[in-house]
């Protein structure tokens, strides 16, 4: 049935007919009746195609025949006129005075007996123009030049009767003498695919044949058009029901494919199927099996029994249209192992927030929000339509983009940027002019005249960033704080993973030293950043962090932020140095100890029991005698330790991309505003103003709302996959794929 449906779809595609979305629903479709109907439709269409093909071939042959009659008739008519003119000229010559230059045999040629003249035969037809030169050479060589070939070019392409494709052809007439030459010519015509048609040199008969062929062409054209119309109507009727038929057949195939996974119990004469199901769905499955038993009038009901197995179950997370997009982001990295911590719970918040840190501008955020709001309000209509690849991807992630837009509006208020322009939304700036001369100043002459700006960055901070880098410093330090916080979250989640899988070695000899090492360095850096913000200190944090390792006992001098800072730094340096060997050495020795204890326990079990000795020996050979390669474990732990130590530094530096992309976005927006829009306004010309607004709009949409959105999205994705998830997430599980008709795709056969 699927093959027949594919045949019907091919026929509709060739006819330019698409299955109608306005399918007439037939609730009680019988699969057996559908099979009979599809067979009848296939037979009808096959017969129509065969008849149409024969009629079309006859029509194309008659078209070629008409061309031969016309072109060859013109040639014969021209030749006959030329011969008549020559005959008249000859007769005039015979009755006139003969000169000494007259041919001696002229008189003999003129009065030769017609019965003794050589009668030439001829063959006419059409040959492909690209083969005409080779065709002519081959005829000349095969007959040693004893033929006369006349070709006439057909201006328009001709449909070939055999292939049905349009081919540029020439009409030819070949004159020959003798049966032997005729046989050679016929074979050469067949070899070159030349179509031969009968022709007469009688001009009267030629006109009769042309009239007869034209009448047949008209009749065939009418017959072919009626057949095509009937075929199109049949295919249109099929198109109304095709999608429903196709879905029904695919569902039936899907059911049989699933039934093939069941095993047949010969002794109990029943089918046995083993699979996975969510715990909450157990009662629903039992109810469904009970309803199936009643609906099928079965004398024996289905038995549902929970099995206990050591096989790792698949992973299933219940999502909705809002959370499914975030889950897809995590699943693209790897499917969570069964009962492993799901990063999507945190990604729902952290992903759009990190995006907004790089994209923060509440003007651009509003534009993104309005775009996604259109998709959300029309999601019911758009979900049933076929969108393009890019639009389909955008529509699928509409809730992700909505969250990114809302967070961008929030961070835009914090940065105080609306298309790079600051506004005094939440009050006046805390800075004012010392005197009237600095009215337009942004740096020099400003003093703090009132309380701090209540929310976000003060508008006056958007001055010359080379002289007053307050905003850049804020974004850079904030990037470090966010990065350290997210990496700590990743390490904490690795603790819960280790506790759940009862891996106490990882808890105490991986989680603890990792959290100590990370916070001894970058946790301390985050601490002094916050202290500097709170105290307004002018300490150089670069100097503090560098000499924390180079000269840990030296006095900090003007770089001291709080009392006892030097001793705290010594403590953190010591903890960081202790954490590295703590990560490296204990774990291999503890794993070796655990392996030896398991091995001894199996040996004792073999001494205790004699009845099941064969089973225990088999188990011992398969598990107990696995050798523990200490060197391999140690090298693996060494690599893991080096990777974490170096990764802690590189990952922290990687979070500086939040600052870099935020700066790039702000600068690009400022350039478009200052160098395009304001420049156009300054000319006081309406045409230049309109051009400036158009250029500014396209630059904002194309660069800032499309390219910058994609760039920030990819960088946020990298921060989650590499810097966050690699701390705790293995992603080596497999997805729960239950039986569902929703899994049937359009291209699934």
């Amino acid at each position: 049935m699927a093959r027949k449906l594919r045949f019907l779809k091919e026929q509709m595609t060739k006819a330019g007919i698409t299955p109608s979305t306005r399918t007439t629903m037939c609730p009680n479709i019988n699969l057996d009746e559908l099979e009979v109907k599809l067979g009848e439709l296939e037979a009808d269409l096959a017969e129509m195609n065969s008849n149409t093909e024969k009629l079309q071939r006859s029509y194309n042959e008659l078209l070629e025949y008409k061309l031969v009659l016309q072109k060859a008739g013109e040639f014969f008519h021209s030749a006959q006129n030329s011969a008549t003119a020559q005959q008249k000229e000859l007769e005039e010559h015979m009755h006139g005075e003969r000169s000494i230059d007259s041919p001696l045999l002229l008189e003999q040629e003129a009065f030769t007996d017609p019965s003794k003249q050589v009668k030439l035969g001829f063959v006419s037809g059409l040959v492909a123009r690209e083969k005409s030169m080779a065709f002519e050479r081959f005829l000349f060589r095969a007959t040693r030049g004893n033929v006369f070939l006349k070709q006439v070019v057909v201006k328009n392409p001709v449909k070939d009767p055999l292939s049905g494709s349009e081919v540029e052809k020439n009409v030819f007439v070949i004159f020959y003498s003798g049966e032997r030459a005729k046989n050679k010519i016929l074979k050469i015509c067949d070899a070159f695919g030349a179509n031969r048609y009968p022709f007469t040199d009688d001009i009267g008969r030629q006109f009769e044949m042309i009239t007869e062929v034209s009448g047949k062409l008209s009749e065939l054209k009418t017959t072919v058009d009626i057949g095509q119309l009937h075929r199109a109507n049949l295919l249109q009727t099929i198109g109304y029901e095709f999608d429903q038929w196709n879905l029904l057949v695919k569902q039936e195939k899907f059911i049989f494919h699933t039934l093939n996974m069941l095993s047949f119990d010969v002794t109990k004469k029943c089918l046995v199927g083993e699979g996975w199901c969510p715990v909450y769905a157990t009662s629903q499955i039992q109810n469904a099996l009970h309803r199936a038993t009643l609906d099928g009038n079965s004398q024996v009901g289905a038995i549902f029994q929970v099995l206990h197995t050591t096989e790792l179950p698949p992973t299933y997370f219940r999502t909705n249209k809002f959370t499914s997009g975030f889950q897809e982001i995590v699943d693209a990295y790897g499917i969570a192992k069964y009962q492993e911590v799901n990063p999507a719970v945190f990604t729902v918040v952290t992903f759009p927030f990190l995006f907004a840190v790089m994209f923060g501008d509440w003007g651009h955020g509003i534009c993104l929000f309005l775009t996604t709001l259109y998709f959300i309000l029309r999601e019911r209509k758009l979900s049933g339509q076929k969108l393009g690849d890019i639009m389909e991807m955008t529509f699928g992630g509409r809730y992700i983009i909505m969250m990114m837009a809302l967070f961008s509006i929030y961070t835009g208020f914090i940065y105080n940027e609306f298309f790079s322009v600051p506004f005094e939304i939440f009050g006046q700036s805390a800075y004012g002019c010392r005197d009237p001369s600095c009215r337009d100043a942004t740096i020099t002459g400003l003093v703090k005249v009132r309380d701090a700006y209540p929310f976000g960055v003060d508008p006056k901070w958007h001055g010359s960033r080379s002289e007053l880098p307050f905003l850049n410093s804020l974004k850079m330090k904030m990037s470090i704080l966010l990065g350290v916080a997210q990496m700590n979250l990743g390490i904490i989640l690795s603790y819960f993973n280790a506790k759940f899988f009862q891996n106490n070695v990882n808890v105490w000899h991986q989680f603890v030293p990792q959290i100590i090492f990370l916070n001894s360095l970058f946790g301390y850096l985050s601490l002094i950043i916050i202290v500097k913000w709170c105290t307004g200190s002018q300490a150089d944090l670069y100097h503090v962090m560098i000499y924390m390792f180079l000269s840990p006992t030296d006095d900090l001098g003007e770089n001291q932020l709080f009392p006892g800072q030097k001793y705290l730094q010594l403590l953190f340096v010591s903890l960081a140095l202790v954490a590295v060997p703590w990560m490296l050495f204990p774990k291999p020795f503890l794993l070796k100890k655990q392996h030896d204890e398991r091995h001894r326990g199996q040996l004792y079990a073999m001494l205790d029991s004699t009845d099941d000795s064969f089973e225990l020996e088999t188990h011992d050979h398969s598990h107990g005698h696995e050798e523990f390669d200490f060197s391999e474990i140690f090298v693996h732990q060494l690599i893991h330790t080096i990777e974490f130590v170096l990764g802690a530094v590189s990952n922290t530096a990687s979070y500086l991309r939040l600052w870099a992309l935020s700066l790039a976005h702000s600068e690009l927006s400022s350039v478009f505003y200052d160098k395009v829009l304001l420049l156009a306004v300054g000319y006081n010309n309406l045409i230049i103003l309109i051009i400036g607004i158009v250029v500014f709009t396209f630059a904002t949409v194309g660069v800032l709302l499309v390219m910058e959105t994609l760039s920030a999205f990819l960088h946020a994705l990298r921060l989650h996959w590499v810097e966050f998830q690699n701390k705790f997430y293995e992603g080596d599980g497999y997805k729960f794929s239950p039986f569902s008709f929703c899994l049937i795709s359009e291209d699934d056969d």
Side-chain angles (χ1 to χ4, degrees):
M1 293 172 70
R3 179 193 60 77
K4 294 174 183 177
L5 284 170
R6 285 196 299 270
F7 171 74
L8 296 179
K9 188 172 183 180
E10 289 173 1
Q11 297 301 311
M12 287 191 293
T13 303
K14 290 180 180 178
I17 298 173
T18 56
S20 176
T21 56
R22 297 181 291 104
T23 305
T24 56
M25 299 302 295
C26 299
N28 297 322
I29 289 184
N30 190 311
L31 204 67
D32 296 330
E33 295 177 356
L34 178 60
E35 182 179 9
V36 174
K37 188 170 185 178
L38 290 178
E40 294 174 352
L41 290 173
E42 183 188 28
D44 291 344
L45 278 174
E47 185 178 358
M48 288 182 186
N49 292 340
S50 177
N51 294 336
T52 303
E53 185 179 354
K54 291 177 182 178
L55 292 172
Q56 193 67 44
R57 182 173 179 178
S58 300
Y59 181 78
N60 294 334
E61 287 177 350
L62 287 174
L63 277 178
E64 287 193 344
Y65 192 18
K66 185 177 180 180
L67 285 171
V68 170
L69 291 173
Q70 291 174 346
K71 299 295 182 182
E74 292 173 1
F75 168 70
F76 271 83
H77 183 68
S78 174
Q80 187 175 12
N81 291 338
S82 176
T84 304
Q86 290 180 2
Q87 185 69 23
K88 289 181 179 180
E89 183 181 352
L90 182 61
E91 291 177 355
E92 290 175 358
H93 234 356
M94 291 297 299
H95 291 91
E97 294 183 356
R98 295 184 57 182
S99 65
I100 193 170
D101 296 328
S102 300
L104 295 176
L105 298 178
L106 185 60
E107 212 174 288
Q108 182 180 353
E109 290 176 0
F111 297 99
T112 303
D113 187 2
S115 63
K116 295 182 179 179
Q117 293 180 354
V118 177
K119 186 69 174 177
L120 296 179
F122 58 88
V123 175
S124 59
L126 288 95
V127 66
R129 191 174 303 167
E130 61 181 8
K131 300 179 181 179
S132 60
M133 295 298 295
F135 181 64
E136 186 174 352
R137 286 196 299 268
F138 212 90
L139 283 171
F140 182 82
R141 292 171 183 170
T143 60
R144 300 180 183 272
N146 293 320
V147 293
F148 176 73
L149 173 65
K150 179 66 176 179
Q151 294 193 67
V152 181
V153 175
V154 180
K155 293 182 180 179
N156 298 323
V158 181
K159 276 195 174 182
D160 188 75
L162 293 177
S163 63
S165 58
E166 292 189 346
V167 182
E168 293 183 340
K169 292 189 175 185
N170 292 350
V171 175
F172 66 86
V173 181
I174 307 170
F175 295 91
Y176 61 90
S177 176
E179 287 296 321
R180 190 172 181 181
K182 179 182 178 181
N183 293 333
K184 289 182 179 180
I185 292 170
L186 295 180
K187 290 180 180 179
I188 293 171
C189 288
D190 293 338
F192 278 84
N195 299 327
R196 293 177 282 108
Y197 297 97
F199 187 76
T200 179
D201 54 358
D202 185 357
I203 296 178
R205 178 59 181 157
Q206 288 176 14
F207 285 113
E208 292 179 4
M209 293 174 68
I210 291 176
T211 305
E212 182 182 353
V213 170
S214 299
K216 289 183 178 179
L217 279 173
S218 179
E219 293 176 1
L220 275 177
K221 178 66 175 174
T222 304
T223 306
V224 169
D225 290 343
I226 293 174
Q228 292 286 4
L229 181 61
H230 179 59
R231 182 173 178 271
N233 292 335
L234 179 60
L235 290 175
Q236 192 69 47
T237 305
I238 294 172
Y240 290 134
E241 305 288 343
F242 181 82
D243 284 341
Q244 188 179 3
W245 295 345
N246 194 34
L247 179 62
L248 181 63
V249 172
K250 284 183 177 181
Q251 289 176 347
E252 196 70 15
K253 285 185 66 177
F254 197 26
I255 292 171
F256 276 101
H257 175 70
T258 306
L259 289 174
N260 288 337
M261 299 180 185
L262 305 181
S263 58
F264 184 70
D265 191 334
V266 181
T267 57
K268 298 179 181 179
K269 296 182 179 180
C270 62
L271 291 174
V272 179
E274 296 181 359
W276 301 100
C277 74
V279 175
Y280 73 87
T282 303
S283 59
Q284 299 177 21
I285 295 173
Q286 290 175 338
N287 293 334
L289 291 173
H290 180 67
R291 288 198 306 271
T293 303
L294 297 179
D295 294 342
N297 296 322
S298 176
Q299 297 179 356
V300 180
I303 300 174
F304 181 85
Q305 183 177 358
V306 178
L307 301 178
H308 299 282
T309 177
T310 57
E311 186 179 350
L312 185 68
T315 303
Y316 172 60
F317 296 116
R318 299 177 69 179
T319 59
N320 52 36
K321 61 183 180 181
F322 177 80
T323 58
S324 60
F326 296 98
Q327 188 64 55
E328 289 295 328
I329 290 177
V330 175
D331 291 346
Y333 177 86
I335 305 299
K337 194 160 54 177
Y338 181 64
Q339 293 191 341
E340 186 179 11
V341 173
N342 183 16
V345 177
F346 308 95
T347 304
V348 171
V349 176
T350 58
F351 185 86
F353 179 70
L354 292 185
F355 169 87
V357 171
M358 296 178 277
F359 193 77
D361 187 302
W362 61 278
H364 297 153
I366 290 174
C367 294
L368 275 183
F369 178 74
L370 293 177
T371 303
T372 54
L373 190 63
Y374 169 79
F375 287 117
I376 292 172
L377 294 177
R378 297 176 61 88
E379 64 181 9
R380 182 172 298 179
K381 181 179 180 180
L382 294 175
S383 60
Q385 297 179 359
K386 290 184 179 180
L387 307 174
D389 292 339
I390 296 178
M391 289 296 293
E392 187 75 31
M393 188 183 305
T394 305
F395 178 73
R398 59 193 180 280
Y399 288 102
I400 299 177
I401 302 175
M402 183 195 72
M403 291 293 291
M404 296 190 316
L406 292 176
F407 275 94
S408 296
I409 295 173
Y410 169 72
T411 54
F413 281 129
I414 292 179
Y415 296 160
N416 200 350
E417 291 187 0
F418 178 82
F419 295 99
S420 78
V421 180
F423 284 90
E424 294 182 344
I425 302 175
F426 301 101
Q428 294 183 347
S429 171
Y431 300 92
C433 289
R434 195 179 303 153
D435 52 64
S437 63
C438 68
R439 182 179 55 185
D440 298 327
T442 56
I443 301 171
T444 308
L446 294 180
V447 293
K448 190 170 184 179
V449 296
R450 59 182 63 89
D451 293 337
Y453 192 70
F455 184 83
V457 174
D458 194 288
K460 294 294 184 182
W461 283 23
H462 288 267
S464 174
R465 285 161 187 167
S466 60
E467 300 180 27
L468 192 63
F470 293 149
L471 188 58
N472 285 347
S473 177
L474 170 69
K475 292 181 179 180
M476 181 179 65
K477 292 181 175 63
M478 185 177 63
S479 300
I480 295 175
L481 295 177
L482 293 175
V484 173
Q486 191 173 36
M487 287 191 293
N488 272 288
L489 176 61
I491 297 175
I492 293 172
L493 293 177
S494 71
Y495 166 79
F496 289 105
N497 273 340
K499 288 295 289 183
F500 177 79
F501 292 110
Q502 298 180 354
N503 193 341
N504 293 324
V505 175
N506 281 348
V507 171
W508 294 106
H509 302 286
Q510 183 169 316
F511 161 72
V512 176
Q514 283 181 357
I515 203 79
I516 289 175
F517 180 82
L518 180 66
N519 289 288
S520 296
L521 301 181
F522 303 106
Y524 174 67
L525 174 60
S526 303
L527 174 65
I528 60 178
I529 287 174
I530 296 174
V531 171
K532 182 179 178 179
W533 280 348
C534 295
T535 60
S537 173
Q538 298 297 319
D540 186 356
L541 301 187
Y542 298 104
H543 184 278
V544 172
M545 292 302 298
I546 291 173
Y547 285 93
M548 175 179 172
F549 291 92
L550 295 181
S551 302
T553 58
D554 291 352
D555 290 332
L556 298 175
E558 61 181 8
N559 291 320
Q560 182 169 338
L561 293 166
F562 53 86
Q565 181 180 354
K566 182 177 74 172
Y567 301 105
L568 183 62
Q569 290 183 176
L570 288 172
L571 175 62
F572 283 147
V573 170
S574 302
L575 289 175
L577 295 176
V578 170
V580 175
W582 190 354
M583 281 187 283
L584 175 61
F585 293 109
K587 186 174 179 178
F589 290 100
L590 290 172
L591 292 176
K592 172 67 174 174
K593 181 181 178 182
Q594 289 181 358
H595 177 270
D596 293 340
E597 289 177 353
R598 284 198 301 268
H599 185 58
R600 281 199 300 271
Q602 287 175 359
L603 291 178
Y604 293 152
M606 290 179 65
L607 292 174
D608 291 340
S609 176
T610 57
D611 296 335
D612 301 328
S613 59
F614 177 76
E615 182 181 353
L616 287 171
E617 281 184 20
T618 305
H619 179 76
D620 181 62
H621 283 296
S622 61
H623 296 283
H625 287 168
E626 293 178 0
E627 294 190 9
F628 184 85
D629 193 344
F630 181 81
S631 60
E632 182 180 352
I633 298 296
F634 187 82
V635 170
H636 181 271
Q637 186 63 22
L638 176 63
I639 294 172
H640 181 76
T641 303
I642 295 173
E643 181 184 12
F644 178 80
V645 172
L646 298 180
V649 180
S650 64
N651 291 350
T652 305
S654 181
Y655 276 95
L656 291 176
R657 72 184 66 240
L658 298 173
W659 160 57
L661 265 77
S662 175
L663 176 62
H665 184 85
S666 178
E667 289 294 336
L668 278 174
S669 181
S670 178
V671 167
F672 292 148
Y673 177 75
D674 294 337
K675 302 302 181 183
V676 177
L677 190 60
L678 291 185
L679 192 63
V681 173
Y683 279 98
N684 293 325
N685 187 297
L686 181 61
I687 297 177
I688 295 178
L689 178 61
I690 294 174
I691 295 175
I693 293 175
V694 171
V695 173
F696 176 77
T697 303
F698 278 97
T700 301
V701 173
V703 177
L704 297 176
L705 294 181
V706 177
M707 294 178 60
E708 280 288 308
T709 300
L710 181 60
S711 175
F713 180 91
L714 293 176
H715 283 285
L717 192 65
R718 181 241 154 78
L719 289 176
H720 279 77
W721 281 0
V722 179
E723 277 72 29
F724 175 54
Q725 290 181 189
N726 72 343
K727 301 289 188 299
F728 67 97
Y729 188 61
E730 295 183 7
D732 56 352
Y734 63 102
K735 202 169 186 178
F736 175 59
S737 299
F739 176 88
S740 174
F741 288 141
C742 297
L743 299 177
I744 300 177
S745 63
E746 293 184 1
D747 298 330
D748 187 17
D749 290 330

